[in-house]
Amino acid sequence: QAFVGDPPNPVSSPATSGRPSPAPQVTPRTGGEIHEELRTRLYETPDISTGKRVTGGTPSSRIAEKLLHGWTLLGDSCPTPGCHVPLMRDGKQRRHCVGCGVWLD
């Protein structure tokens, strides 16, 4: 029973004649779906120069892979705003950021 001065009931309206509106249907996600979404968010980073996704693990795992292939880890960080990943140099002496995918030379 409503009393004078009570706020209106948010689940009922004059259009529904005081009946509560049905709850929205929510489809539960499986653990695999949640894991895949987290993997995508954590291990794929945007290539700032092209807007495409760079896959292949975290920037640190991509650095490790490049080191195993003879690349050099440099002391400078990527100049791209918001990136801050250390730069690497390939065998042709070109500087590259494995975080955002930009080539600097």
Side-chain angles (χ1 to χ4, degrees), residues 7 12 16 25 32 34 38 54 56 62-63 72 75 88 98-99:
S12 65
T16 61
Q25 295 296 320
I34 294 170
L38 290 174
V54 177
R62 289 193 295 269
I63 288 172
T72 303
M88 300 199 73
V98 298

Side-chain angles (χ1 to χ4, degrees), residues 22-28:
Q25 295 296 320
V26 177
T27 305

Side-chain angles (χ1 to χ4, degrees), residues 69-92:
H69 287 93
W71 288 44
T72 303
L73 183 62
L74 303 176
D76 299 324
S77 295
C78 180
T80 304
C83 185
H84 311 296
V85 172
L87 294 174
M88 300 199 73
R89 183 178 298 135
D90 69 359
K92 297 179 182 178

Side-chain angles (χ1 to χ4, degrees), residues 4-68:
V4 176
D6 283 349
N9 185 349
V11 294
S12 65
S13 68
T16 61
S17 305
R19 290 175 289 169
S21 59
Q25 295 296 320
V26 177
T27 305
R29 297 187 306 170
T30 65
E33 290 171 329
I34 294 170
H35 175 74
E36 181 63 24
E37 180 180 341
L38 290 174
R39 186 196 64 75
T40 300
R41 288 185 187 182
L42 293 173
Y43 299 123
E44 293 183 3
T45 56
D47 180 331
I48 296 171
S49 62
T50 64
K52 296 180 180 178
R53 305 294 290 179
V54 177
T55 60
T58 62
S60 59
S61 67
R62 289 193 295 269
I63 288 172
E65 182 179 340
K66 298 291 187 191
L67 288 170
L68 292 172

